Amino acid sequence: MQPFQYIRPASLAEMVMAEREARSRDAAARTAYIAGGTTLVDLMKLNVEQPDRVVDLNAIAPAFSAITLDGSTLRLGAFAKMAAVADHPAVIGGFPVIAESLSLAASAQLRNMASLGGNVLQRTRCAYYGDPAWTACNKRAPGSGCAARDGVNRQHAVLGVSDHCIASYPGDFAQALMALDATVILVGAEGTRSVPFASLHREPGDTPDAETTLRPGEVITEFVVDGGPWARRSRYLKIRDRQSYEFAVASVAVALDLVGDTVRDVRIALGGVATVPWRAYDAETMLRGRSLDEAAAADAAELAFASAVSHTHNAFKIPLGRSAIVRALLETAAMEVRRD
Amino acid sequence: MTEPLFPQPTGTMGRPYRRYEAHEKVNGTATYASDVRLAGTAHAYLLASKIGRGRIEAFDLTAALAVPGVVDILTHETVGGQIRQTPSLYTGGYAADSVRPLGSADVAYWGQPVALVVADSYEAAREAAQKIDVAYAVAEAASSFDSGGAEHSELEQHALRVGDFDGAFAAAPFKIDAHYSTPVQHHNAMELFATQCVWDGDRLTVYEPGQYLNNIKYGLAEQLGIDPERIRVVNAYVGGAFGAKGFLTQRTALVALAARRVGRPVKLVATREQGFFLSAYRAETRHHVQLAADQEGRLLAHRHEGWELTSRADLLAFGGNGMTVRLYACPNIESRVNVARVDRSTPGFMRGPAEVPYAFALETALDELAYAAGLDPVELRRINDTDVEPVGGLPYTSRSLMQCFDAAGAAFGWPDRTAEPGSMRDGDWRVGWGCAAAFYPAYAASSSARVRLHADGRVHVASGGHELGQGMYTMMAQVAAERLGVPMDRVSVSLGDTDLPPAIVAGGSSSTTSVAPAIMAACDAIRRRLGLDEGSQGDVVAAMVASGTGMVEEYAETRAHGEAPDTMRRLHRGQAAPSGGIHLEDRVQFALGAQFVEVRIHARTREIRVPRAVGAFAAGRIINPRTAHGQLVGGMIWGISSALMEHTDIDPRNAGYINANLADYLLPVNADIGTVQAIMVPEVDDLVSPAGVKGVGEIGTVGTAAAISNAVHHAIGKRLRDLPLRIEHILEDI
Amino acid sequence: MTDTHDTNAPPSESRRRFLIGSVVTGAAPLMVRGGEAEAADQPAAQAVREPVTVQLDVNGRTHRLDLDVRVTLLDALREEIGLTGAKKGCDHGQCGACTVLVDGRRELSCLTLAVAAQGRDIVTIEGLEGAGDELHPMKQAFIDHDAFQCGYCTPGQILSAVGCVREGHAGSADEIREYMSGNICRCAAYPNIVAAISDASRRMGG
């Protein structure tokens, strides 16, 4: 871990101003925001992250930690702890996919520490990224290559991969936000903006180091999720080698609006198999208006992985991901949900 | 939790006392090696090579030395010849491997220590280590069996031949001919590899977790070229070991040397990642097993060929075939072991080192044979049960294998199993039941102990044994309490210090077996001094009062059956090695057991889970069924883990470690473990040692993986022969 | 492939709702408008490598320490304050041995910077006490059920277990198993740990 300057702004305004001034002094200086710290401190110890400034946002956090239901719209402060959201009755009742994605993630201790905003921005678990001794990593050192493509890549992505990076996105909550078409509120030097959560992460392409569309210094303050029948009939299926405290080998978030057996609307997001939180748009389109049975689910699963590209050890993620989609769709359809 | 079943005790030994050190452990006051606080400590950070093989061409230490607070950096250039060679444990020495710490510019494996930074703070030491620039000339590294540079050979000492295997195999009606493999695995005790060294003049004190502190003492003395009596190694609590802490690793001499150079105590707490390279590990194995049986299921032919892997520096193999071919009656036997030498660190002991991989192969093959012959797997083992091992015709000192199968099978509900694979289901889950035998050789070695009796009835027991969590403190107190006839709460215990009477390594499930007789002998000597008979009759306190003596102390040494003549000399040189198992001239001695598991496999997504396991084990006398139960259950969970999770990933391009952390090297978490029941089958064996103990530290983890692979076959009809068993192996098979 | 191309794009851009720069969150009024940040005081910032004075409230006592900002709460407890009950098992948030209670909830001290733990109420295993001379019921239950072997993960297990009960996640054996999965026990005393927590949960009125 390299030395850094520690700053703890008392307000968002102070944070924005300090960051703008710091950048005007030294445009190349690297700033890292810290909330729960569960990703950043880990990567700093590994010497992967070497920020010059660490800006502790915890004095600001209380202003952006609220969990509120505004009509049918759920507003989640980005500094709310994962555990608080996972255990919130309004979330469990109206947005089960969110509660499940959070309670199946990490451990109880980490969920007590980690903020929602930091969680969606957590970094890949690619081993070659996490150890600077592996010199080839386009995400860590742009232009250096990718050690994972011909290395040990069982955990790596099969969707959204490029020639430059196959690192999988490790999170769970992001898939729930994808499946609920959430909106994210961002604050930075240029003010406040609201963007679809689906546009927050960038596929690696030929710049895998640029993981998000966040502008320099910008911070996530809130997630906004519309409720409705699809949100109540939603769930998160996480497949892994051990029962708990592990990243997904494959995961599926499903939000389903079902009339009888017929799909009025459906959203499917995939984790563990893709470079970014992934929406299976083609599968959704195919399912809309169809009656949801084993055959329809299997067709959707087939479509969802039509563009998959596998490497040495991760080809199994394609059939596994398909099976997970079928299981998630049928289990979501079988949920007992109140319609109003 | 189901209460353990255990033999009814007749005295203090055999009762389930709570742990002697329980309060210290729940209050956080038990002092592990890294908890010892020494004034003026400098902190060390190790730099490990990140190449698989090659040579250090140059260090650039400029940036590292510029970090404020750095006081010293040890490299092969700055250490030179200050650390001498000591042979590895496998060649009559002490070390985990034969690579001399910072001995040269040569890098033999990924993770080899190449520098040690010493600084005023941990943060500065870590930063500086991360700023050391090493220029390597990288050479191609062979990572495993199939690598181009691997050197293959057969180890003649493990070859066995009885009867005519080829003829019998060819003629038999039922036969199995299959290949199996097991992966690289690391102990990953929760405690990190920590070492603290402090010099007082020319006397060195070392705080380091160890399963054999005298091994560290005498080996380190050789490395540093000093009188062993100037070194004291202290460690009252070990935070888990499982084999990893039974050797002198390269770090100890480096920390000792650093402390001498900087004139301050030096503390090293190696990282979790570095723990994957610092000590030994379970190397990958391969097996070819051929079994043949007649119409009734009697074994006619048994051939087991093993392939093991080791480093270039140390030629070793565990040769578990010597045990597996002796387990069941069979007239025609052939067995051999091959070894491949590659560019990796030296492997070594890990809980059931030979038994776990070889048992996986044999006990899976037996299940296959049972299906081929149309027999219940338990009945196949009953048909081939024997009191005499089939290679040399030597008797088992005691053997309760089928009692174990019957006890565990009944508790598990085995008779309710339907034999047809895929025939048991529960909703979306496929259910499979499987079983396998467990075995572990009963080993023992020479040990010593000192017991002191005070007139007020207080007893103090001292022996340089080791508390790894197996319950050594409690066991020592129980033995002395029973032998002297005093209450448990009057007995205090010292262990974990090289100034105490030497005891054997806490390994090979032999610690209790070996140390208990020495305590018993010392107690008996006290009784004789007081004019009492041996055994537990007669009031020692009354005798003390009558004699007018304030304190009586006796020291005793005991040796185990079949030990070499020089065993006592070796005990006092930190080189006591257990004997027993199949290495005796007149008999074989084993603890035996039976493992039953239920697996559930999701019909769509193929997760494999083990909701329940039942094991029954016969291991002679159980001194404390409470701590023994913990050992057996823990071992069974290790077996579940070994079967389904643990696998160290090594990149074949450079023999580099990929998942050397606890997020990616999977150990079971609480949610993975359902009900686990360990039954202790009563067994009396007066031959194995005066204490009648066979040891329970390892047997619990032997056979579990085979039981699981057999259960997976039962659940879905697919036979898996390569560990760990994972989703990808069964995706297409339901 | 260009750096803006997105193969996982939705079928129609019209489904997206961009609302740039116009949202006021319900939680708090923002002081920031492009270029018009209020002239608040600069946040206090230490120079790189300059030790900072850190005040930690541990087990009811306040400790003032001059620390490198890189020091974790775990290392501050162990190396500076001398509370060695919290253990380093991985130093990366992967094992739970360093678990402490922070403001009553279980957190990992190895991933917490000490400087960021100021003003929070920290309880370590040494500070977890029962009534009068009695052991805390969770500690007693761990002894009674033999819920440890080597003991190294035990302080973290016990504090995590107290958190588990307080958080209302000790309602059944399965719930305990899931909510205690952040504490790895390599000796694998898991069945006894579950039994101990079930027992202590009753004794704690959970």
Side-chain angles (χ1 to χ4, degrees), chain B residues 489-542:
Chain B
D489 62 9
R490 303 298 283 160
V491 184
S492 60
V493 179
S494 295
L495 51 68
D497 187 334
T498 54
D499 280 0
L500 299 173
I504 192 201
V505 58
S509 300
S510 64
S511 193
T512 301
T513 326
S514 307
V515 178
I519 297 170
M520 291 162 69
C523 292
D524 291 348
I526 288 176
R527 300 183 70 87
R528 284 193 300 273
R529 284 256 301 266
L530 295 171
L532 298 169
D533 291 337
E534 291 181 13
S536 56
Q537 299 304 306
D539 186 336
V540 291
V541 179

Side-chain angles (χ1 to χ4, degrees), chain B residues 37-206:
Chain B
R37 289 168 58 77
L38 302 169
T41 293
H43 294 265
Y45 198 93
L46 197 65
L47 181 67
S49 77
K50 289 292 177 82
I51 65 166
R53 188 166 72 91
R55 197 172 164 77
I56 298 166
E57 297 203 307
F59 285 105
D60 183 349
L61 303 179
T62 317
L65 287 168
V67 173
V70 170
V71 293
D72 198 4
I73 299 179
L74 279 66
T75 68
H76 74 275
E77 292 171 348
T78 60
V79 165
Q82 293 179 65
I83 300 172
R84 303 179 193 184
Q85 183 75 49
T86 181
S88 77
L89 199 68
Y90 314 103
T91 53
Y94 302 97
D97 60 57
S98 295
V99 176
R100 192 157 59 94
L102 300 183
S104 76
D106 293 328
V107 173
Y109 57 89
W110 178 280
Q112 180 179 324
V114 296
L116 186 82
V117 179
V118 185
D120 291 335
S121 72
Y122 176 73
E123 291 71 29
R126 179 176 57 195
E127 178 192 347
Q130 289 171 337
K131 283 183 168 160
I132 293 176
D133 188 8
V134 192
Y136 292 106
V138 181
E140 197 157 309
S143 68
S144 192
F145 291 114
D146 300 329
S147 303
E151 299 169 73
H152 299 274
S153 60
E154 187 193 345
L155 290 180
E156 296 291 342
Q157 66 266 36
H158 291 293
L160 283 169
R161 187 185 289 268
V162 176
D164 170 19
F165 169 83
D166 290 334
F169 189 76
F174 300 117
K175 53 188 102 174
I176 292 298
D177 186 332
H179 292 262
Y180 306 84
S181 72
T182 65
V184 190
Q185 297 178 332
H186 280 77
H187 316 75
N188 278 308
M190 296 318 296
E191 180 188 26
L192 298 170
F193 290 99
T195 298
Q196 298 199 68
C197 288
V198 55
W199 290 85
D200 177 9
D202 65 355
R203 303 189 72 83
L204 170 66
T205 305
V206 179

Side-chain angles (χ1 to χ4, degrees), chain A residues 3-327:
Chain A
F4 54 82
Q5 189 183 32
Y6 173 79
I7 303 164
R8 189 181 170 102
S11 69
L12 198 58
E14 205 176 274
M15 178 205 90
V16 169
M17 191 182 59
E19 180 55 23
R20 187 188 299 150
E21 288 201 0
R23 234 175 312 123
S24 70
R25 278 198 305 276
D26 178 3
R30 295 153 298 184
T31 297
Y33 290 140
I34 188 168
T38 56
T39 293
L40 183 67
V41 176
D42 176 26
L43 291 175
M44 283 166 57
K45 287 179 180 181
L46 294 169
N47 219 22
V48 172
E49 285 286 347
Q50 302 180 13
D52 300 291
R53 283 188 302 271
V54 171
V55 179
D56 181 349
L57 301 181
N58 283 300
I60 300 167
F64 301 97
S65 297
I67 304 165
T68 52
L69 201 55
D70 179 4
S72 66
T73 298
L74 179 69
R75 292 179 170 274
L76 300 171
F79 289 86
K81 299 301 187 188
M82 292 169 72
V85 180
D87 287 347
H88 198 286
V91 179
I92 294 169
F95 306 83
V97 68
I98 290 180
E100 289 171 10
S101 70
L102 288 167
S103 62
L104 292 173
S107 69
Q109 290 95 316
L110 289 163
R111 296 193 295 268
N112 280 340
M113 301 170 72
S115 67
L116 295 186
N119 177 266
V120 300
L121 297 175
Q122 71 181 302
R123 315 300 295 276
T124 182
R125 291 293 312 171
C126 171
Y128 300 98
Y129 168 76
D131 183 352
W134 296 92
T135 51
C137 175
N138 290 320
K139 191 182 277 298
R140 181 164 31 77
S144 60
C146 174
R149 288 178 57 87
D150 299 316
V152 178
N153 48 39
R154 177 181 188 261
Q155 61 139 232
H156 287 71
V158 295
L159 292 169
V161 300
S162 76
D163 290 344
H164 306 282
C165 185
I166 60 171
S168 58
Y169 174 78
D172 298 297
F173 174 52
Q175 278 70 251
L177 294 174
M178 293 290 282
L180 296 177
D181 255 341
T183 299
V184 57
I185 313 297
L186 309 170
V187 175
E190 292 158 36
T192 300
R193 62 185 180 124
S194 161
V195 301
F197 182 77
S199 70
L200 185 66
H201 290 83
R202 295 157 54 115
E203 288 176 39
D206 47 16
T207 55
D209 55 309
E211 295 185 346
T212 71
T213 55
L214 286 173
R215 295 169 186 165
E218 217 167 28
V219 65
I220 300 174
T221 56
E222 198 175 35
F223 300 95
V224 182
V225 188
D226 289 335
W230 61 88
R232 285 193 297 278
R233 185 182 293 283
S234 68
R235 72 161 313 208
Y236 187 68
L237 174 67
K238 185 170 180 179
I239 309 300
R240 41 191 166 172
D241 296 307
R242 75 179 174 194
Q243 182 68 24
S244 187
Y245 201 9
E246 193 196 356
F247 296 95
V249 175
S251 70
V252 185
V254 172
L256 187 58
D257 184 1
L258 212 53
V259 179
D261 288 340
T262 304
V263 176
R264 187 153 73 184
D265 198 5
V266 61
R267 293 164 208 161
I268 304 168
L270 304 177
V273 295
T275 53
V276 291
W278 190 266
R279 271 284 288 274
Y281 291 111
D282 293 344
E284 295 170 7
T285 305
M286 192 279 291
L287 282 173
R288 283 192 195 97
R290 267 184 79 167
S291 99
L292 184 51
D293 55 14
E294 176 97 27
D299 288 349
E302 192 69 24
L303 265 182
F305 282 86
S307 68
V309 175
S310 66
H311 289 79
T312 322
H313 307 112
N314 67 356
F316 78 100
K317 285 193 173 184
I318 298 171
L320 175 63
R322 287 181 175 139
S323 295
I325 289 175
V326 172
R327 179 178 166 188

Side-chain angles (χ1 to χ4, degrees), chain C residues 12-205:
Chain C
S12 161
E13 273 299 314
S14 66
R15 295 180 59 220
R16 298 194 167 184
R17 298 160 296 157
F18 284 89
L19 300 165
I20 296 174
S22 61
V23 168
V24 176
T25 70
L30 297 180
M31 319 267 296
V32 184
R33 296 282 183 275
E36 285 184 312
E38 218 171 76
D41 289 339
Q42 276 285 356
Q46 111 288 0
V48 171
R49 294 195 188 282
E50 184 189 334
V52 293
T53 302
V54 172
Q55 197 162 303
L56 292 177
D57 300 322
V58 186
N59 301 335
R61 280 190 56 195
T62 300
H63 300 264
R64 284 176 68 85
L65 310 164
D66 288 330
L67 294 181
D68 187 317
V69 291
R70 293 173 291 181
V71 173
T72 61
L73 176 59
L74 174 62
D75 287 333
L77 291 170
R78 292 179 52 80
E79 305 293 337
E80 305 293 331
I81 300 176
L83 293 170
T84 55
K87 295 290 186 270
K88 189 178 282 189
C90 72
D91 216 21
H92 288 277
Q94 300 165 352
C95 78
C98 68
T99 301
V100 295
L101 296 174
V102 181
D103 292 338
R105 299 176 75 83
R106 45 187 166 155
E107 297 194 3
L108 300 178
S109 60
C110 79
L111 291 183
T112 304
L113 295 176
V115 66
Q118 298 183 88
R120 309 187 70 194
D121 177 30
I122 297 154
V123 174
T124 71
I125 194 72
E126 293 91 343
L128 183 73
E129 293 172 337
D133 292 338
E134 289 181 14
L135 280 177
H136 186 278
M138 191 61 75
K139 291 181 174 179
Q140 188 61 52
F142 266 62
I143 294 177
D144 294 346
H145 293 272
D146 203 36
F148 53 88
Q149 291 176 40
C150 84
Y152 196 81
C153 73
T154 308
Q157 297 277 359
I158 289 173
L159 289 167
S160 186
V162 169
C164 181
V165 172
R166 285 186 188 161
E167 290 158 21
H169 288 304
S172 67
D174 278 343
E175 191 179 21
I176 292 169
R177 287 185 185 107
E178 172 59 34
Y179 282 84
M180 285 300 293
S181 283
N183 292 81
I184 294 178
C185 173
R186 182 53 155 160
C187 299
Y190 295 128
N192 291 359
I193 290 169
V194 174
I197 297 172
S198 299
D199 186 1
S201 175
R202 285 189 294 273
R203 293 193 225 173
M204 289 168 67

